[in-house]
Amino acid sequence: MGNFSVDADELLAVGRLLDEVRDELSRLHWQMDDLRAHTVGSDQVSDALNHFADHWRFGLGRMRDGAGFVAAALAAAGRAYQALDAELAAGIHRAAGGSR
């Protein structure tokens, strides 16, 4: 098995970054309501623009949800690795004759 290492702080940092991305996607998702075409010339053009806006809004919502899911998973993994590292360090300390 090859070398494998995980930086728990990096997982948490990327999770926080994805939380920011999720927040921005959420903001954009709700702004799509303001971009509806009401009167831009013809009904056909308005319908096409509204169709695009509906699909774009749907896609933004899916990306927002995905970013939130990955952010939560990275944060949970980062916390789990930190807890495991702390338990391992405490076990090594005890095995070496330290108290705890």
Side-chain angles (χ1 to χ4, degrees):
M1 185 167 161
N3 292 336
F4 180 76
S5 66
V6 174
D7 185 334
D9 292 333
E10 190 67 25
L11 288 176
L12 293 169
V14 173
R16 284 189 298 274
L17 180 61
L18 277 175
D19 273 335
E20 292 175 22
V21 169
R22 183 208 58 221
D23 291 346
E24 183 63 17
L25 287 168
S26 185
R27 185 186 65 75
L28 292 170
H29 177 259
W30 294 111
Q31 278 186 337
M32 290 305 296
D33 287 339
D34 297 335
L35 298 177
R36 302 286 297 177
H38 299 289
T39 53
V40 290
S42 73
D43 289 342
Q44 194 173 21
V45 172
S46 291
D47 290 346
L49 289 172
N50 288 333
H51 181 75
F52 172 80
D54 290 342
H55 285 276
W56 189 255
R57 185 174 192 266
F58 175 79
L60 286 170
R62 295 288 304 262
M63 289 189 294
R64 174 204 58 207
D65 296 345
F69 174 81
V70 174
L74 288 172
R79 289 189 301 272
Y81 277 111
Q82 285 178 333
L84 181 62
D85 284 347
E87 288 177 30
L88 180 60
I92 291 170
H93 182 74
R94 283 191 303 273
S99 63
R100 188 169 167 187

